[in-house]
Amino acid sequence: MRFQFLLFSVFSFCLLAIPADAGQLASWKFDAGRNRLDFKTDAGVQPKAVMLFNPTRLVIDLPGIEFGKPTITQKLTGNFRSLRVGQFDGSTTRLVLELQPGYTLNPKRVQFTGENPIDWYVTIPVPERGATGIPTLSPSNSPR
């Protein structure tokens, strides 16, 4: 009986020690001319998004996706200040699209489209001067 318990304990410990396979962010691109953010992962993902203020930014989390690099900041032009890509926590990659000071956008008009579980694009409305009273949003389109 003790041997079976010991064997079970060792087996359980080994299972816990095996690292979980997380997906990776394979690529991303922001097209300022079309106000569109494209990203691709090597595993299926359901993005989560929220608008944050002071400064105004669209935050997109990719649960179960690892970035595996230091945070990268891309300077943008026009109404967008920057795009940051980095590891938010141990299992979530975060993309942050920051707007220029004084600009905002209507989060109800942000559209997520999943070409499939690994290919996504986010269509972003043209930023406007002023404030919006709608603080959050969620991807409304699931992968086809």
Side-chain angles (χ1 to χ4, degrees):
M1 185 65 144
R2 287 183 185 179
F3 177 74
Q4 289 175 337
F5 178 73
L6 179 63
L7 185 61
F8 178 75
S9 298
V10 170
F11 180 72
S12 298
F13 177 75
C14 290
L15 283 179
L16 292 174
I18 297 172
D21 288 334
Q24 296 278 322
L25 180 61
S27 65
W28 71 92
K29 179 178 92 171
F30 181 71
D31 183 341
R34 294 176 20 186
N35 281 1
R36 183 171 139 162
L37 173 64
D38 295 20
F39 60 90
K40 183 175 193 153
T41 60
D42 67 0
V45 66
Q46 178 63 52
K48 297 178 181 179
V50 65
M51 285 292 299
L52 298 177
F53 300 93
N54 296 323
T56 303
R57 59 213 182 277
L58 174 64
V59 177
I60 301 168
D61 285 338
L62 307 177
I65 302 297
E66 291 181 358
F67 188 52
K69 302 174 190 171
T71 298
I72 294 174
T73 301
Q74 294 176 265
K75 297 291 182 192
L76 301 176
T77 60
N79 299 332
F80 297 98
R81 176 179 268 184
S82 65
L83 173 64
R84 288 188 309 275
V85 181
Q87 194 71 40
F88 174 65
D89 62 25
S91 63
T92 303
T93 293
R94 177 169 277 182
L95 297 103
V96 179
L97 186 60
E98 186 173 331
L99 281 72
Q100 292 288 359
Y103 283 88
T104 189
L105 55 86
N106 183 345
K108 285 186 173 183
R109 295 187 54 221
V110 174
Q111 295 179 330
F112 284 78
T113 303
E115 293 289 317
N116 56 57
I118 66 169
D119 290 307
W120 289 83
Y121 64 89
V122 185
T123 306
I124 302 161
V126 175
E128 301 172 353
R129 285 212 170 266
T132 181
I134 306 166
T136 61
L137 62 113
S138 298
S140 57
N141 295 345
S142 296
R144 293 182 226 166

